[in-house]
Amino acid sequence: MGPIDYLVVEFPGNRMTGEGFPLLVDLVDRGLIRILDLVFIRKDQDGSVAALEIADLDADGELDLAVFEGASSGLLGQDDL
């Protein structure tokens, strides 16, 4: 499968706009990257952490990352999250 890299992205103020999603989909469509696992994590002020479901992240009425729904290779476990 080749080398595997991890990318962690933090959104300022815990707010995601969805502007980068089309760019991510384009990279996959062009075969430049392959997404094995995609997980969204929210960390609250009190330090508690929760995984989020892929949904309408920018509230425009469309599932922004529905193309990646179910992207789970099993490489990332609960301890990783």
Side-chain angles (χ1 to χ4, degrees):
M1 184 180 306
I4 296 176
D5 290 316
Y6 294 90
L7 175 66
V8 176
V9 179
E10 179 179 358
F11 297 95
N14 215 13
R15 305 239 16 201
M16 184 174 11
T17 65
E19 292 176 29
F21 297 148
L23 300 171
L24 182 64
V25 171
D26 179 59
L27 291 172
V28 172
D29 286 346
R30 293 187 315 167
L32 297 175
I33 65 170
R34 193 165 103 193
I35 296 179
L36 301 176
D37 290 287
L38 182 65
V39 180
F40 290 93
I41 305 292
R42 180 182 68 223
K43 186 172 185 180
D44 293 325
Q45 295 285 356
D46 64 2
S48 62
V49 177
L52 304 175
E53 296 293 324
I54 294 176
D56 180 13
L57 299 171
D58 59 5
D60 68 354
E62 296 183 25
L63 293 178
D64 301 299
L65 297 176
V67 67
F68 299 118
E69 193 169 16
S72 178
S73 68
L75 291 173
L76 292 176
Q78 284 300 104
D79 290 342
D80 298 313
L81 302 180

